[in-house]
Amino acid sequence: MSSATDSSTDAPATPQLPLHMLRNGFDPVPDLAAVREGSGLAQVRTPFGADAWLVTRHADVRALLGDAQSFSNVWKRPDHGLSEQEAAEMRRGNLLAYDPPEHTRLRRMLTPEFTVRRMRRLQPRIEEIVEEHLDAMERAGAPRDLVADFALPVPSLVICELLGVPYEDRAEFQERTGKALDTSLPEEERLRLNVEQRAYMRELVERAQADPGEDMLGMLVREHGDDLETPDLTGIASLLLVAGHETTSNMLGLGTLALLRHPDQLALVRDEPERVAPAVEELMRWLSIVHSGAPRVTTTDVEIAGQVVPAGSIVVFALPAANRDPELVDDPEKLDVTRKQTNHIGFGHGVHHCVGAPLARMEMCTAFPALLRRFPNLRTATPDDEGEFRSYHFVYGLKRLDVAW
């Protein structure tokens, strides 16, 4: 099994990374491409200690993600220190832990809130939030940490307002979720943080049940309060809060660095409005910040890439390899914002396709050009070889990005 060790002084204590989480900066490691071009399938050890089959080719990954019957999201994950009842309670409401028809029932309640038409209503507020943070950066002066000052707070404020989460709590919940997604930390610590995060969200849900506001939690209570018990609402809200700020914020940080390293592409995004939406799709494909998505378990013997995988096997997906498959696009290693739309799987595929994708697209289509136009001479303030990547996180990104203008 391929893995990597940390080069820091505490290397012996740092867990090894599975193949699909290994990167060289923006790029998946060559070993991953070698699997894709070879058998298409590899056996890996997951960050939670289980053996799994790793699927690497775009066509295979897309087909498997679209087959919820043969590849189930419902399976017993390791729950260190939790009783079976406590573990079941922790999973309630988390759409990533359900299959149809229960998944369909829960998702149907959320889908109306994330339609493109509904998101357009948020556009003016998103623009306002972006401009407020750019103003603050400009007032403070260079250099600034783009992650702390822009990439993280913009989507955090948007999802807080959308859900009805107090923005003043952001530092606390961001620290919790950031650590909970960090595979270099002990499993017991990450579990404790998840329990704390769920307790925090339960308090907000109970507050909304007592006095529902105009936000999404209030809507869910008013419209679906008879169908959703408190643990279900808590799980839904927890997933939306984590997904709503972790993914988009890392795309904004890493995507900005990618554009800075490709000045010709940056100029197109900055100067030609019609390029922005295709650029977001290309950045989603090229960066693939979510390494795998939720693992699945096979419900029957299935054939993947010409090999029979037995029933009861865990399967994970190498999204970075799949999105750079030569069968998907020509010259897949090249960042090209002028590409025609591709069937990238940066937002997943099938019944678990990211429900918040319209919101994420709107935030990125607003934030990237606004940042680049406000600071037309934006540049990194540290040498290229000193980028601080979040190598051990389930969501890939940057720890910080010092910029000047």
Side-chain angles (χ1 to χ4, degrees):
M1 294 186 186
S2 295
S3 56
T5 54
D6 198 325
S7 59
S8 61
T9 54
D10 62 347
T14 307
Q16 293 183 322
L17 279 173
L19 178 59
H20 61 287
M21 289 180 67
L22 293 176
R23 310 261 186 150
N24 291 330
F26 300 116
D27 306 323
V29 295
D31 284 357
L32 195 52
V35 173
R36 184 189 61 218
E37 307 311 322
S39 66
L41 206 58
Q43 287 189 292
V44 297
R45 176 67 58 90
T46 65
F48 46 87
D51 291 327
W53 293 91
L54 179 67
V55 187
T56 58
R57 294 174 185 157
H58 179 269
D60 292 333
V61 172
R62 189 174 166 87
L64 271 51
L65 289 174
D67 183 359
Q69 188 168 352
S70 303
F71 299 88
S72 171
N73 278 50
V74 181
W75 55 282
K76 186 168 172 50
R77 294 157 173 80
D79 297 303
H80 302 274
L82 292 182
S83 69
E84 198 165 319
Q85 184 176 352
E86 288 170 329
E89 188 82 352
M90 284 285 288
R91 288 192 290 270
R92 283 187 62 175
N94 180 354
L95 273 73
L96 299 178
Y98 288 94
D99 290 333
E102 181 62 8
H103 172 271
T104 309
R105 182 183 77 89
L106 292 174
R107 185 172 172 122
R108 192 177 291 132
M109 299 177 191
L110 287 177
T111 303
E113 294 302 303
F114 286 102
T115 60
V116 173
R117 182 171 56 86
R118 191 72 65 96
M119 288 300 106
R120 284 200 185 113
R121 280 198 237 157
L122 289 176
Q123 179 75 46
R125 181 58 183 140
I126 293 173
E127 291 174 359
E128 189 177 18
I129 290 169
V130 166
E131 292 302 322
E132 286 171 357
H133 285 81
L134 292 175
D135 288 344
M137 280 179 63
E138 195 166 21
R139 280 195 305 269
R144 306 305 307 164
D145 176 6
L146 188 81
V147 172
D149 290 356
F150 186 73
L152 186 54
V154 167
S156 293
L157 182 51
V158 171
I159 197 66
C160 281
E161 291 191 0
L162 189 63
L163 278 176
V165 174
Y167 188 56
E168 58 269 21
D169 294 347
R170 70 192 182 282
E172 189 179 350
F173 74 66
Q174 283 169 0
E175 183 179 8
R176 268 199 306 263
T177 56
K179 288 182 176 179
L181 294 170
D182 184 351
T183 63
S184 70
L185 297 177
E187 180 69 30
E188 293 73 18
E189 182 178 352
R190 288 191 281 130
L191 175 63
R192 175 182 59 78
L193 292 164
N194 278 317
V195 170
E196 288 178 7
Q197 183 73 351
R198 195 169 177 97
Y200 166 74
M201 290 306 302
R202 185 182 180 102
E203 284 183 25
L204 295 184
V205 164
E206 289 171 346
R207 205 179 304 167
Q209 287 170 324
D211 183 19
E214 295 304 310
D215 47 66
M216 194 180 294
L217 270 182
M219 177 280 297
L220 287 169
V221 168
R222 281 194 306 274
E223 297 185 15
H224 304 290
D226 293 339
D227 303 315
L228 293 172
E229 296 180 355
T230 301
D232 302 316
L233 282 165
T234 301
I236 291 170
S238 297
L239 178 62
L240 291 177
L241 180 62
V242 173
H245 78 268
E246 274 287 333
T247 50
T248 309
S249 67
N250 283 291
M251 272 302 301
L252 289 177
L254 201 60
T256 298
L257 181 59
L259 292 172
L260 288 171
R261 298 267 180 92
H262 297 79
D264 56 329
Q265 306 291 294
L266 184 151
L268 292 173
V269 176
R270 183 190 62 215
D271 301 333
E272 301 181 24
E274 70 276 11
R275 301 286 191 193
V276 175
V280 164
E281 300 307 316
E282 174 68 350
L283 286 166
M284 287 291 302
R285 179 197 74 82
W286 196 70
L287 294 172
S288 297
I289 60 166
V290 177
H291 303 287
S292 175
R296 311 292 204 269
V297 66
T298 53
T299 59
T300 183
D301 292 356
V302 291
E303 186 175 313
I304 306 173
Q307 183 161 342
V308 175
V309 173
S313 300
I314 298 171
V315 176
V316 291
F317 311 98
L319 301 188
N323 276 332
R324 294 198 185 190
D325 192 332
E327 296 297 318
L328 172 65
V329 292
D330 294 329
D331 200 4
E333 301 300 323
K334 181 182 179 182
L335 177 66
D336 180 4
V337 302
T338 67
R339 275 189 209 279
K340 292 182 179 176
Q341 185 132 354
T342 63
N343 287 323
H344 75 75
I345 44 180
F347 286 114
H349 178 65
V351 298
H352 291 281
H353 180 270
C354 176
V355 71
L359 175 60
R361 286 185 167 110
M362 179 168 287
E363 289 177 297
M364 287 188 279
C365 284
T366 303
F368 281 127
L371 170 69
L372 300 176
R373 288 171 194 157
R374 175 68 69 94
F375 304 117
N377 297 315
L378 191 71
R379 63 187 185 278
T380 55
T382 52
D384 284 355
D385 60 355
E386 291 183 16
E388 294 190 54
F389 294 93
R390 300 191 341 162
S391 300
Y392 284 87
H393 281 68
F394 284 104
V395 181
Y396 192 59
L398 295 169
K399 295 178 184 176
R400 62 180 295 123
L401 175 59
D402 292 327
V403 295
W405 50 85

